[in-house]
Every structure is written in C-alpha cells, then in structure tokens.
Amino acid sequence: MTSPAFGKAEYQARVAAARKRMADAGIDVLVVTEPANMCWLTGYDGWSFYTPQCLLVAQALDEPVLIVRGMDANAGKVTTYLDHGNILGYPDHYVQQPDRHPMDWVAEEMGRRGIAKGSLGLEMDSYYFSPMAYEHLKAGLPNCRAVNANNLVNWCRSIKSPAEIAYMREAARIVERSMAVGIENVSPGTRQCDAVAAIYDAQIRGAGGVGGDYPAIVPMLPTGIGASTPHLTWSDERFKTGEATILELAGTRRRYHCPMARTVSLGKPPQKLADASAVICDGIAAALEAARPGATCEEVEQAWRRELAKSGFEKESRIGYSVGLNYPPDWGEHTMSLRPGDRTVIRPNMAFHMIPGLMLDDCGIEISECFLITETGAECLCDFPRPLVVKT
Amino acid sequence: MTSPAFGKAEYQARVAAARKRMADAGIDVLVVTEPANMCWLTGYDGWSFYTPQCLLVAQALDEPVLIVRGMDANAGKVTTYLDHGNILGYPDHYVQQPDRHPMDWVAEEMGRRGIAKGSLGLEMDSYYFSPMAYEHLKAGLPNCRAVNANNLVNWCRSIKSPAEIAYMREAARIVERSMAVGIENVSPGTRQCDAVAAIYDAQIRGAGGVGGDYPAIVPMLPTGIGASTPHLTWSDERFKTGEATILELAGTRRRYHCPMARTVSLGKPPQKLADASAVICDGIAAALEAARPGATCEEVEQAWRRELAKSGFEKESRIGYSVGLNYPPDWGEHTMSLRPGDRTVIRPNMAFHMIPGLMLDDCGIEISECFLITETGAECLCDFPRPLVVKT
C-alpha cells in the first residue's frame, strides 16, 4: 500500500497551476494521458499505463476525474486524494479490441458530466496516447475542438517544490550507492548480468534509510564496441580487460529521479578515451558555472561547446534536459534541452541532467551530473568523482 | 555488446511472413513502431524507443530500413543483420521540438527511397507512435493512403519458432527461481523494497547458466488493502502478519517472457481468500484441460467460468492473453485474449499467460500459469506449486 507522496494542498496547487496554463491557452478540458502528469496532479501511481487511461482536468469541474481500467480503480482510491466519485473504471471489454476503444467510454463519460464541448487539450506526443485513442476521442466528441496541449503539464513540473527537491536528494543518495556498486562490479571476467543484478539490488534497496523506486530507464550498460552507442543494455557476456563500459543509472524515490553516468576502463584506456574524459570534465565544469538563474539553456550548452572546441572532438546532440518525476520509458521531462536554440530562461528550483557523452567510432564515454538551480547558481545533487574510472 | 538472438534466415522468414500479411491487406509500406515488432523482424534491441523510431517494411525494397535517432544508429549495426545502408540515424535537432518531428525526416527518407506512395500501414494503437507522429507522417506523405495495420506484425508473432520456445523455457527457469526468492522474502517485518531488490537480483542474475534480461513490467507487489487492485508496485513499508501479498513477476531471456503470479498470506488467511485460491486452482486446471489445438480462446475461458460459477465469486475481466517477446510497458502481445467473444482458433506453439485473479473488496489473489500449446494440448512452462502460500 502506498499513500500519496505529497499533501493534498500541494496537489491542489498543482491542479490550479495547470488550470491557469489551460486558461492562458483557451482550453476548457485537458485530457492528461502522460503517467507522470497524472501522478503529479493527483498522486496516481500504478503500473497500469499499458492500458489506456486519463485524467480529465476541466475548468467546469471542481476536481479532476480519473478514468482507468476497471481493475485499476482501486489503485486510484489507494494512491490519490480524489473523491471516490471522481475515480472511474471502464469495463474490461474495451481492452485491446479492434472495434472499440476505452476512449469511446471516456467521451461518453464526458457527456454524462457535461464537459463534452469547447476546446479540448490533448497531449499529442505522449507515449500512452495513441493515434487510435486520438481518433476515437475526436469521433466521440463532435462538439469539441481538439488543440495540441503537448507538454502543458510538463512545463508546470519544471520548477520543483521543496518536497519534490527532498525526494530528488534522497534519489541522489541512492544513485551514489548504486554507481559505486556498479563500478565495483565491472571487473574482468564478471558477467554483465551479474553486475546489473547488483546495481538493481542497490537501486531498489535504497540508501540513507529509504527504499528505492523503479527508475524510468533500466541500467544502461554499453560495453566495448557497444559503447559507441549509448542505449544498449546488458548481455551475459563477461567484461574484458581492454574495454570500456558506460554506466548510466538513476536513483529513484517516489518516482523522482537523480540520474548519473560514469565510464569505467578495464586496463589502461586508449589515449582518445583519456582525452575525451578530460574534455568532458572541463566542459561540465564550465557549463555548471554558466548555469544560473537568468541564463538560457543554450548559454549553458555554449559554455560546454567552447571547451569542446579546444579539443578535436565533435558532438551533434544536446547535452542535457529537464528531469524529475517520471515513468518508463524516459526520466526526461521533454521541456527544456541544453542545446542551441533553446532560449528558455533558467529559474531557481529547475533540475537538469547534463550528460555530454562522446561516442567515438569503436568506443564511447559518458559522464554526467544531475543539478539543481539555486538562487545564485547550480548545485550538483550528487558528490561522486567524475573522471574516467581506470581499473588496472 | 549483444549479437542478434536468432540467425539471419529466421529474421528473413519473419519479414517474409509480414510481407505476406501486408499483401493480403493491400499494404505497400508498413511503418513498424512497436519495439517488439522491430526487434522480432530485425533483432534491433536498445532502450531507444523513448525517442521516435521505426522500421520501414516495403514491398518494393529487398530489406527493411531502420530509422532511429542518430546516436542509436550504431545500436542498429551492433544488434541487427541489416545492411548498414539500411540503418539510418536522423539528426538530433528533431528530438522533442514543438515545431518539427522525426517523422518529417522519415517521410523525406521514404521519398528519397521511392516508397512515398500507395497504401501506408500504420500501427495505430502502438505505445510509441503518438498522434503527433501520425499527423506529421500523414502531412509529409500526401501521396500515401494511411490504413490501420495495428497488430499486423503482432499476429505474425503469435506462433513461436523452436528457437523462440527455447528462450521462453530459459525464461521459465528464471521466473521459477525469482518467485521462490520472492516468496522467501515476503516475511513479517521485511521492507517491501528489500524483497523486490532480492527478486530483481534473481531476475537479472538468471538461472540454469543463463542471465536474465529486463522484464517488460517491473515486479508487481500489491499487498494488504493494495492487493484489491493488481498493478501497484512496492513501497518501503514492512510486510505485516495478517496481510496477503500478490507477486506478479516474469523471467526474461533475450526479451522473451515467462510470467508467473502467486499469492502469499502471512498468517492464517481469511476464509474467502482460501476459498478463492481453491476456485482459481480448479479453474486453471479446467482451462488448461480445454486449451488444445482447434479450441477457441473463448472456449478456454468458458472452462474457467464453469468452475467459477460453482463458487460465489465473480470476475469481469479476461483471464489471459498471448505472450512472448516484448518491451515495456507490457509483456502481452495484444492479439488473443482468453475471454468471451474471442473466437481465435488455438494452434500449436502459441503461448499464453493465464492469470485469473480475483480482486475482493479488501484483499486479492492472483495465481497464473504461462503455457505453450503442443500438438495435443497445453504444457505449462513452469513447475511451481499453485495454491495460496500460507506462511505462519
């Protein structure tokens, strides 16, 4: 059993913030389908997002309405503050059928509640809102005008409350311990899966007296030639001397993430890997110096890029993103990115994961920091040595 | 580093099977976005599905074309048999932007390859194909006619090859061990997170000499009142005497799943829970007896329902589904369901997870079997006692 992670007043303030953004965008009803947004607004927490579900936030209704699969309605009662009259389960015969969709039922319920009209905000690029859901919802709501409300709630999440920051600090303790366990277990002759088993144990057992939640991404463990690409998971092959392994992990507490990446070389690394480590460490330090209230996201990236330009390395992809509460498949918030063109002004209590990896032809390296914006600058949530770890 | 899980000939036969179904449906180009379908057709395996990606299967092209984010193109080279000319990475500036979408780039690439015309099959209810992806793809392909090809490849996956079945048997060994560890760790005073840490360790360390892969669903662990709903995860509260805990876990090998659910009562269970256990065990036995080539999915469910009718219990939801290769958030294949109205005829080498849970008002119970259809009947992949485990 899991009680809500925050007090009712905090959830209500979040709903008010979402309503304000809805009003600014002229939206009457918002159909929230992203699990992190549903959780942020109500506390709803269960692995039920593999069947369609949503939270209706309507200007005309006092409280949001949670609609999930019938068997998951009790999960709403256990994990949210919502009045039980606002927690609804749709019948099971809507699940995974070619000729009907749970969104048909949602549209009918909107009619029953008198909110099947006006401007309808939809999270158009949400993982758990499919084109079929979109088509059925539009067909069932002929008096609504669909508008793209993608990331509307995600943007509300970008500035963290003190209670959210407290969870992220707990997550930081968990990832420090998990990374230490991971580095210890990347050794010649150890199977990759055995190292990951030890990492998972640390991630879930937690640290500092609190248990860990499941991270939105499994441990990433590209090794050898596989480390030339960042998102491979493990196999049961054994670590070999002469190869480098990237570890990208998160500590997670009540769905709040603190990610960290480090790289381990078994044996003396090739010179280019040692050089890349030095460039990344210099670049992270420069970017952290640039990250402060009033700076823009792209200015932080420029500070990194100036360091990078001194080296022979190149990097096309962004170096970081906003992070916090999330569910699989991603712990990033999909709002701010540290990259050219993102002119979002940084404000206190934003949180980022900066991960300037360098993928080379036949190996790769990632080193990252998760940091919080303070009143005057940036504070790394973790205290963990950055350079390439060389085990000889 | 991970080599493909199957030989090139098996992948090519799968592509041929998909092309056949495409031809039957009049589809010229299929845009495969479901990670399990991409993996099944090519071997592609990486946690990269949080950014848009797809596999293009075109009647006019010899081989499928894999399109992923730029940094993930090397993952395609490492994990698939595809010619490197058919593995493409789109530029990073398409990632998570309000004014463009990776599907714009996909549409342009289809034009470059001469396949931007005719009937375009789309997986309309796939988790990783959003309405925005759908709209951008349609806008970029004015000479294509979009048709719903949802589950087209999933249906190809419903009958398993000998090599796939071998992986599922390995997964069965892993879940037997993981469940034993889970039951051992559900004890009064133990924190839920510590039990899950031990389960994860077993799931990933593997069994029988092979390592485990990450399951598509995290360990489900509803306990006490939380067990009145099936999809809650853990907290760091402690297990209590007098409460029941449901464990729903999978063993996973090269992305192939063998799921299992069992329920543990700490202390003497209430009579209704003991009764529910007996009904479920009888119902599973009856349904397994009914599961054989030539029977329909709904006939299997009817055998369960006849047993259920002798008791005072009721159940609205389906009791099972097709299972095999998968990625988060679901190990189910979204094709066959064991429920009224599903008249799919069962054939040899299909695999199902039958999980007739009973959610009561203040507790719940789940017991399941993952089974394979043989030439003459059904074979449970695991050998593990079914009844409610009572620890006193």
Side-chain angles (χ1 to χ4, degrees), chain A residues 28-29 31 107 110 115-121 137-138 140-147:
Chain A
D28 297 303
V29 183
V31 183
M110 287 175 64
I115 54 170
K117 56 183 188 282
S119 169
L120 182 74
L137 201 55
K138 282 198 298 182
L141 296 169
N143 296 321
C144 285
R145 191 178 68 261
V147 301

Side-chain angles (χ1 to χ4, degrees), chain A residues 122-146:
Chain A
L122 301 175
E123 296 181 320
M124 290 291 283
D125 213 18
S126 162
Y127 298 113
Y128 303 111
F129 183 54
S130 72
M132 195 176 289
Y134 170 59
E135 294 287 13
H136 279 254
L137 201 55
K138 282 198 298 182
L141 296 169
N143 296 321
C144 285
R145 191 178 68 261

Side-chain angles (χ1 to χ4, degrees), chain B residues 174-187:
Chain B
I174 296 172
V175 75
E176 285 168 346
R177 180 159 174 270
S178 303
M179 184 60 76
V181 165
I183 290 171
E184 185 187 324
N185 279 273
V186 174
S187 300

Side-chain angles (χ1 to χ4, degrees), chain B residues 11-25:
Chain B
Y11 289 113
Q12 288 175 325
R14 295 173 182 182
V15 171
R19 277 187 209 280
K20 171 74 170 60
R21 277 187 188 262
M22 286 166 57
D24 292 346

Side-chain angles (χ1 to χ4, degrees), chain B residues 336-359:
Chain B
M336 297 167 280
S337 289
L338 303 177
R339 65 180 161 195
D342 192 326
R343 305 207 169 88
T344 310
V345 175
I346 290 173
R347 296 167 60 188
N349 299 326
M350 288 179 168
F352 294 89
H353 183 217
M354 177 160 57
I355 176 165
L358 290 174
M359 301 295 126

Side-chain angles (χ1 to χ4, degrees), chain A residues 225 228 244 268-280 311-313 358-365 388:
Chain A
I225 178 86
S228 63
K268 188 173 183 296
Q271 190 59 42
K272 63 181 172 185
L273 210 58
D275 291 347
S277 171
V279 170
I280 292 175
S311 75
F313 296 105
L358 289 174
M359 301 295 125
L360 312 176
D361 284 342
D362 56 356
C363 60
I365 177 168
L388 176 67

Side-chain angles (χ1 to χ4, degrees), chain A residues 36 63 237 325-326:
Chain A
E63 200 174 73
E237 291 183 26
L325 171 70
N326 236 319

Side-chain angles (χ1 to χ4, degrees), chain B residues 15-307:
Chain B
V15 171
R19 277 187 209 280
K20 171 74 170 60
R21 277 187 188 262
M22 286 166 57
D24 292 346
I27 292 171
D28 298 304
V29 183
L30 181 66
V31 183
V32 180
T33 49
E34 192 165 318
N37 291 338
M38 295 173 66
C39 179
W40 189 76
L41 291 166
T42 69
Y44 184 72
D45 183 30
W47 191 287
S48 59
F49 41 85
Y50 70 92
T51 50
Q53 56 183 29
C54 65
L55 184 77
L56 303 174
V57 182
Q59 300 289 14
L61 299 179
D62 285 341
E63 198 174 76
V65 177
L66 178 68
I67 303 180
V68 295
R69 185 181 181 189
M71 63 173 67
D72 297 313
N74 275 348
K77 294 175 187 168
V78 170
T79 64
T80 81
Y81 67 90
L82 298 174
D83 185 276
H84 290 191
N86 289 326
I87 299 171
L88 306 172
Y90 58 80
D92 212 65
H93 65 78
Y94 283 94
V95 173
Q96 296 167 11
Q97 299 272 19
D99 62 341
R100 76 200 82 161
H101 195 279
M103 286 297 169
D104 300 339
W105 196 91
V106 170
E108 287 164 19
E109 181 61 23
M110 287 175 65
R112 287 188 285 271
R113 296 201 173 221
I115 55 169
K117 54 183 188 284
S119 169
L120 183 74
L122 301 176
E123 297 180 320
M124 289 291 282
D125 213 18
S126 161
Y127 297 115
Y128 303 112
F129 183 54
S130 71
M132 196 176 288
Y134 170 59
E135 295 287 11
H136 279 253
L137 201 54
K138 283 197 298 183
L141 295 168
N143 297 320
C144 284
R145 190 178 68 261
V147 300
N148 187 356
N150 202 53
N151 285 346
L152 185 147
V153 180
N154 305 49
W155 277 106
C156 298
R157 285 161 40 205
S158 61
I159 294 179
K160 273 67 184 173
S161 74
E164 291 180 293
I165 291 168
Y167 285 134
M168 290 185 75
R169 290 189 192 282
E170 292 181 332
R173 299 295 82 75
I174 296 172
V175 75
E176 285 168 346
R177 180 159 174 270
S178 303
M179 184 60 76
V181 165
I183 290 171
E184 185 187 324
N185 279 273
V186 174
S187 300
T190 298
R191 293 188 309 168
Q192 296 175 21
C193 58
D194 291 329
V196 173
I199 290 166
Y200 259 123
D201 185 278
Q203 286 177 312
I204 306 305
R205 220 170 276 278
V210 301
D213 205 344
Y214 58 89
I217 306 180
V218 298
M220 303 272 206
L221 201 85
T223 188
I225 179 86
S228 64
T229 184
H231 299 129
L232 293 183
T233 52
W234 60 92
S235 71
D236 40 10
E237 291 183 27
R238 292 170 196 277
F239 296 107
K240 292 189 191 88
T241 298
E243 291 192 342
T245 298
I246 295 170
L247 294 160
E248 186 180 358
L249 318 171
T252 311
R253 176 69 181 153
R254 300 305 300 260
R255 312 284 347 113
Y256 283 83
H257 291 74
C258 182
M260 188 198 297
R262 292 294 184 267
T263 304
V264 178
S265 172
L266 294 182
K268 187 172 183 297
Q271 191 56 43
K272 63 181 174 185
L273 210 58
D275 292 346
S277 171
V279 170
I280 292 175
C281 289
D282 290 347
I284 287 177
L288 285 171
E289 193 64 32
R292 57 166 58 96
T296 62
C297 287
E298 70 174 3
E299 286 166 2
V300 175
E301 199 268 354
Q302 279 160 11
W304 144 267
R305 190 166 293 276
R306 277 193 293 272
E307 291 301 318

